[in-house]
Amino acid sequence: MQIRGTLVLAYYHPGGKPGWVRAFYNGVTYQGVNHLLNAGFRGGFTAAQWYLGLVSNAPVPAVSANDTYASHAGWDEFPYWLAGPPGNQKRPQWSPGAAGTALLASTAPSVGTITSAGTVRGAFVSNVPSGVGSGTSVLWSTGLMSAGLAVAVGGTLSVTYSIRIREAP
Amino acid sequence: MNAYDPRSRDRLSDLVQEFRTGAYLKRRNVASETPVLVAGSFFARVLEADGVTIARDWDLIGNTATYEGLNILLETGFRSGTQYTAWYAGLINNSGYTSTSLSDTMASHSGWSEYTSYSESTRRQWSPAAAATGFVVNSTSMSFTNGGASANIIGCFITSDNTKSGTSGKLWATAVESSARALAASQVFQVYYEIDLVPQS
């Protein structure tokens, strides 16, 4: 069987004009799968809320299954994609519906506003809304596009994410 | 052969290594694509009534997780769903067996029935240690001592309910062999169970 996570990023220019759209798979970390196993079979901690973040293209990123929330030497977050009211902005939430036939998917896109121009290269999923995190912080997955793509101040990025566990083909 | 055959531990180690490296799945022609390979397996052997002499050495029995089990994994991992903190192994009877299904549940598994004529009063608890590098496995084997008559076992299952013949609880996975395994009276069917979630680089 496989666990396959799929990210779809849709960028809208300032003013709302549609921009680029990319769909790609993610790579899951050991920290992520350990969390899943411990939560599923050993009563380990559960995280009710997960968040999406962006991977910067500066520096050019390299992701690893060994990455953790606290340590990912090969890539930096693009921290200028935020949601929520002023003064309480954080990473957009990922809100999947109930699992059905081993599929967990966004019920609605996770939308954030670009607050500083730059180039994004991918996305990650974590249970941390912002900042440094804690002992129960989990980096579930990272995914990279084939190339960096530009975003501008005032633009918005809409991300949908799904996880499917299926028989290997 | 000595009552304790050290080659048996070597064979178990070999099978575990084969499983964790994906060689077992490759042998079954299962493609290993990104990003995470999910595999569960029983490692099983049969001991004589003395609990030491090997009647049949270790075999690897790959499992199939059910939709019910996979949904629990996703719900507990990402939506704080109901957790089942204790899991148990049971046996699948070869008598009347036709098939297992992704849609099987403890309440409904029309293709197989449970074998319960072992002397232990409940299904055997599976107690894995904390996940490390993407796998969980029990460190102490689970043993089923066959009752007063010979039997044919075709496989095993993992469930959240320890009651023999119980239909409540959740069914995580079933595992069946290509052919039935004979158990004589008083022989011991001994198993380990491991789940690997292997990120593919």
Side-chain angles (χ1 to χ4, degrees):
Chain A
M1 308 198 85
Q2 303 172 333
I3 297 179
R4 170 162 285 174
T6 305
L7 292 151
V8 180
L9 274 60
Y11 174 67
Y12 297 83
H13 296 287
K17 179 181 177 181
W20 51 262
V21 179
R22 294 292 187 273
F24 49 100
Y25 299 129
N26 69 196
V28 182
T29 66
Y30 279 114
Q31 185 175 54
V33 296
N34 288 342
H35 160 72
L36 202 61
L37 290 169
N38 286 326
F41 297 102
R42 289 175 39 84
F45 85 91
T46 60
Q49 193 58 60
W50 293 78
Y51 302 87
L52 296 161
L54 297 179
V55 176
S56 176
N57 198 44
V60 175
V63 298
S64 165
N66 294 308
D67 285 343
T68 66
Y69 186 81
S71 176
H72 44 86
W75 59 274
D76 289 340
E77 180 180 9
F78 181 83
Y80 307 112
W81 178 56
L82 298 169
N88 191 28
Q89 294 204 305
K90 53 190 178 183
R91 294 169 184 141
Q93 291 183 5
W94 176 51
S95 299
T101 56
L103 170 67
L104 206 62
S106 300
T107 53
S110 304
V111 182
T113 301
I114 302 298
T115 60
S116 183
T119 306
V120 301
R121 187 64 182 266
F124 65 91
V125 182
S126 165
N127 64 336
V128 184
S130 65
V132 175
S134 66
T136 56
S137 299
V138 176
L139 176 67
W140 162 249
S141 71
T142 55
L144 298 181
M145 300 180 286
S146 58
L149 293 167
V151 293
V153 176
T156 60
L157 195 64
S158 166
V159 179
T160 58
Y161 180 60
S162 65
I163 302 173
R164 177 182 291 279
I165 308 179
R166 62 170 192 159
E167 290 285 347
Chain B
M1 186 188 333
N2 291 336
Y4 171 66
D5 188 343
R7 292 174 296 177
S8 178
R9 289 296 301 176
D10 289 340
R11 173 163 172 78
L12 176 59
S13 297
D14 289 346
L15 286 175
V16 170
Q17 183 67 10
E18 180 180 315
F19 177 63
R20 290 180 184 172
T21 58
Y24 167 71
L25 293 169
K26 291 177 183 175
R27 186 155 56 83
R28 290 179 61 197
N29 292 321
V30 174
S32 59
E33 298 181 0
T34 57
V36 179
L37 195 61
V38 182
S41 183
F42 286 88
F43 302 90
R45 70 174 177 179
V46 177
L47 302 176
E48 298 293 0
D50 62 6
V52 176
T53 305
I54 299 168
R56 176 171 168 175
D57 208 350
W58 295 106
D59 289 303
L60 192 160
I61 311 171
N63 77 190
T64 299
T66 64
Y67 281 130
E68 178 173 70
L70 295 172
N71 288 342
I72 289 171
L73 195 63
L74 291 171
E75 286 285 329
T76 55
F78 297 100
R79 286 169 40 92
S80 287
T82 300
Q83 288 183 291
Y84 299 86
T85 57
W87 294 85
Y88 306 89
L91 301 180
I92 297 177
N93 200 336
N94 185 59
S95 175
Y97 170 79
T98 56
S99 65
T100 59
S101 168
L102 282 167
S103 299
D104 283 344
T105 66
M106 286 311 299
S108 174
H109 46 83
S110 59
W112 59 274
S113 62
E114 182 179 4
Y115 179 77
T116 59
S117 298
Y118 48 89
S119 60
E120 291 79 9
S121 60
T122 63
R123 295 168 181 153
R124 315 314 299 141
Q125 186 161 10
W126 176 58
S127 300
T133 56
F135 71 86
V136 284
V137 64
N138 50 311
S139 57
T140 302
S141 64
M142 299 174 282
S143 294
F144 301 81
T145 306
N146 195 25
S150 61
N152 290 303
I153 306 299
I154 192 68
C156 313
F157 62 92
I158 295 288
T159 177
S160 62
D161 175 25
N162 71 342
T163 306
K164 289 166 73 171
S165 298
T167 58
S168 62
K170 301 299 181 181
L171 179 63
W172 159 247
T174 56
V176 293
E177 302 189 79
S178 56
S179 59
R181 173 189 297 256
L183 282 182
S186 301
Q187 282 188 326
V188 179
F189 184 64
Q190 190 177 59
V191 297
Y192 291 87
Y193 179 65
E194 177 168 325
I195 302 171
D196 280 24
L197 302 184
V198 183
Q200 304 289 290
S201 57

